[in-house]
Structures are given as structure tokens and as C-alpha cells.
Amino acid sequence: MSSTPLSFIFFFYLLISSSSWLLCFSSGAGFNLTTIAFDDGYNPLFGDFNLVRSPDGRSVRLLLDVSSGSGFISSSMYEHGFFSAKIKLPSDYTAGVVVALYASNGDVFEKNHDELDIEFLGNVEGKPWRFQTNLYGNGSTSRGREERYRLWFDPSKEFHRYSILWTAKNIIFYVDEVPIREVVRSDEMGGDYPTKPMSIYATIWDASSWATNGGKIKVNYDYAPFTADFKELVLEGCPMDPIQEYPDFTTCKEKDAWLETRNFAVLTPKRRSAMRKFRQHYMYYSCCYDVWRYPVKLPDCVIDPIEKARFNETGRLRFSGSHKKQAKIAKARRKKKQRAASKERTDV
């Protein structure tokens, strides 16, 4: 007799019980984005035969099968910008599969590259997708700044917008119009803050060695092809040649100033509140609370005492699941003890 996995039931409990704050969240005016056709800003990167353009050229499908993954790359490199796409992830069994939207200059600066990542981590059937954000500056790969999260929706059922804002002052990661993480540049970060021009990438690939349960569960190609769809592509930034002998960094000042006035660059009190609530409900790992990995905290980490109380020394949640679930368990235990005490008094 088949049964529904408890993790699957809990996922939908979490979806229903804790998504109301997001449904009520209104950021005011929308981002008012200008989207582009695929060929106006991107080129195939690898697995050309697994990259399928839509008839109107404004969306693209990436496939992973036993022969290859696939990906695309921006035609230009950018000095700061807002990079975004609506994405629908593969469904059903996706263990070992990674879908990524990211900025990097690793092809040009192999030993001191910069990078900004949104990476979606596949899972076994019945368990939800998870995702992580990360950043590197000047090849600081030994000081990864990972955070990992759950989502309040099933990203394989419909399209949602995922975005990265990168300015000289800060970096903001978005899901739809909800900011989920901000990294503010500081003098203490030094070269760890990304500063060199980067290309924008989207990929789907086999990450069996690490993506699901630390690499214990591999890609199962019986479920292939795995497909990730991208549409409403946005590339807002200042194109720049990263290897120009005498680069003129003043050329991007006007574009930078324009970026910082856009709706998506402003974290209003309402947006900051939504970001705090997202992190309370859905973040399950943070490098800032991982004292085993970083006995001395990273300089850009802003420690929130309430947030910190939720995590153990490995940077992971002290309890699996939400505080609501733990509160319900504690309440049930108290009631059980009360019933037992009442029964003892009755027996006496």
C-alpha cells in the first residue's frame, strides 16, 4: 500500500501555513522591466542541440539528458547591472540536477574571478526544490558565502522571476519582487566584493557529486530529459571590455546612477520586512552562523540575534522545519504531560 512521504505533507503544510505573509506583501509599483529577445542579448554556451528557442525568439528551453546539459551566456560583459529571468524548473525526480542563473568572469580571470550565483538544487520525487545564493570576489572561493533556502511555491509548476542586482554599493537577490538577501559592500570585505565585469549565464547540468544530500543521490536519467524554461529575459547594465588595456571606468557612472534610482534598487521598509520574514521562514543554512567553517565571522555578516538563535554551530537550523511546527510539537507534548498528570490525580 502506497503512502505519502511525511516530508511531502510537511512541504504543503509549510506552503499553506506560512505563505500568507507573502501573498499579502505588496511592493507598490512593479519593477517595470524591459525584456529582450534571446538573440538580442545571449548566445548558446554549450550543448547547442539541447537549447531550444521559442518560435518568437523571446524564450528558451534548456535540456539535460545523458549526452549533455546546456547553457547560454550574455553577448557582453557588464560592469554592474540588474539581471533577471522568469524560470520554470524541471518536475518530478530531479536529484543531482542543478539549474543556475549567475554572473561570472571565470573565463577571463581564471585565478581571481568574481561570481554571483542563484543555484537551484534538484531533489528526489516528492521533496521540494531548494536553492542557494553565493558570491565570490577576486577568486575568494575558499571564503564562500552560501545561503540555502526553501521556496513557498513549487517552482516546477509555473514561472517565477529570479533576479540579481549588482551595484558598486550592494548586491540584492530577488525571488519575484521579494528581496531574499542583501550584501552591502564594506571596506572590511576588501577584494571579496565582486568588482570586475562579468558575463551572465544560465545552465542546467549534472551535479551528482554534490547537489542532493551531499552527492549521495545521483541523477537518474530514466527521468530525462530534464527541462528548464526561461522567458522575459532582462539585461540592464553597462557593457564593458574586461581586458581593455586602459579601461575608462567613468563610462559606467551614468548607468550606475540610473540603476540606483530604479524600483528594484530601493529596499523600502515594506520590502525589508518581507525579506526578514522570508529569511525567518525559508532560510535553512547561512555561512554567517557556521562557526565550524568560519570561527571568525566574515566581515560582511550582519548577525541578527533572533535569526542566530535558530541556527546551530554548523550554520544549519537547530530543528528541521519551521518554528510553527516545533511549537505545535511542544504544545502536543505539554498536553500529553498534562493529561498524564490529570490521570494520576484521578487514580489517586
Side-chain angles (χ1 to χ4, degrees):
M1 182 174 66
S2 63
S3 61
T4 305
L6 289 176
S7 58
F8 186 72
I9 294 172
F10 173 62
F11 167 66
F12 281 98
Y13 162 77
L14 191 65
L15 180 75
I16 293 168
S17 64
S18 60
S19 63
S20 57
W21 65 270
L22 284 161
L23 294 174
C24 295
F25 168 69
S26 171
S27 61
F31 284 170
N32 191 26
L33 303 173
T34 301
T35 63
I36 61 172
F38 178 79
D39 288 335
D40 289 343
Y42 289 100
N43 294 308
L45 176 65
F46 69 99
D48 295 19
F49 48 87
N50 275 344
L51 185 153
V52 183
R53 295 173 177 82
S54 64
D56 65 1
R58 300 195 70 83
S59 60
V60 64
R61 170 170 289 181
L62 297 181
L63 293 91
L64 166 67
D65 58 26
V66 70
S67 65
S68 177
S70 52
F72 56 86
I73 181 174
S74 59
S75 306
S76 300
M77 300 184 78
Y78 294 88
E79 177 73 15
H80 307 138
F82 182 80
F83 315 114
S84 179
K86 283 193 172 181
I87 306 172
K88 185 165 71 170
L89 299 176
S91 60
D92 301 322
Y93 187 100
T94 55
V97 176
V98 167
V99 176
L101 175 70
Y102 64 103
S104 177
N105 48 34
D107 290 343
V108 178
F109 303 100
E110 294 183 6
K111 295 183 179 180
N112 62 335
H113 83 286
D114 305 301
E115 192 166 319
L116 298 168
D117 297 322
I118 299 177
E119 294 179 306
F120 302 95
L121 312 177
N123 219 328
V124 296
E125 192 168 4
K127 289 191 176 182
W129 279 84
R130 300 181 180 192
F131 75 109
Q132 67 179 22
T133 60
N134 201 358
L135 67 145
Y136 302 113
N138 268 330
S140 58
T141 54
S142 63
R143 295 183 297 281
R145 287 166 161 82
E146 296 95 338
E147 289 186 351
R148 289 192 175 188
Y149 327 86
R150 300 177 181 90
L151 287 162
W152 64 96
F153 54 82
D154 184 343
S156 69
K157 297 300 183 185
E158 57 188 12
F159 283 90
H160 287 268
R161 181 168 293 285
Y162 306 92
S163 310
I164 301 170
L165 172 68
W166 169 43
T167 75
K169 299 177 181 178
N170 67 341
I171 296 158
I172 304 174
F173 296 91
Y174 280 97
V175 176
D176 292 327
E177 293 187 5
V178 179
I180 64 166
R181 180 182 189 182
E182 180 187 27
V183 178
V184 178
R185 186 177 187 177
S186 65
D187 291 340
E188 291 77 16
M189 284 188 74
D192 284 5
Y193 191 88
T195 56
K196 300 184 291 297
M198 292 190 277
S199 299
I200 314 307
Y201 298 78
T203 56
I204 183 171
W205 53 291
D206 183 332
S208 290
S209 62
W210 65 272
T212 307
N213 286 4
K216 294 178 182 178
I217 306 177
K218 312 297 184 184
V219 173
N220 185 342
Y221 284 102
D222 289 344
Y223 293 88
F226 303 97
T227 62
D229 294 295
F230 295 75
K231 69 177 185 178
E232 297 186 28
L233 308 170
V234 176
L235 280 175
E236 294 281 12
C238 181
M240 178 176 279
D241 182 351
I243 55 175
Q244 185 177 341
E245 187 173 0
Y246 300 105
D248 182 3
F249 292 103
T250 63
T251 59
C252 288
K253 283 189 175 180
E254 185 175 337
K255 189 70 173 182
D256 284 354
W258 177 83
L259 275 172
E260 291 174 13
T261 64
R262 296 299 305 276
N263 185 291
F264 48 70
V266 180
L267 288 184
T268 62
K270 188 175 289 187
R271 282 195 179 138
R272 288 198 178 277
S273 175
M275 181 165 65
R276 283 194 300 271
K277 290 175 180 177
F278 171 86
R279 295 170 70 81
Q280 289 168 6
H281 284 84
Y282 299 105
M283 183 170 72
Y284 69 91
Y285 171 82
S286 171
C287 62
C288 290
Y289 303 118
D290 191 343
V291 297
W292 286 11
R293 185 179 180 188
Y294 297 115
V296 177
K297 74 178 179 68
L298 296 166
D300 48 300
C301 285
V302 178
I303 303 301
D304 181 330
I306 296 175
E307 195 174 85
K308 181 181 179 181
R310 299 172 56 231
F311 293 89
N312 60 30
E313 293 183 343
T314 67
R316 291 184 171 271
L317 287 175
R318 292 184 181 275
F319 308 105
S320 60
S322 69
H323 288 301
K324 287 185 178 180
K325 182 184 179 185
Q326 296 302 320
K328 287 185 72 175
I329 293 171
K331 185 177 180 181
R333 286 174 177 168
R334 286 196 302 271
K335 284 186 175 181
K336 186 176 180 180
K337 288 182 179 179
Q338 288 169 358
R339 285 196 299 268
S342 177
K343 186 176 185 300
E344 286 179 3
R345 288 193 297 269
T346 303
D347 291 342
V348 171

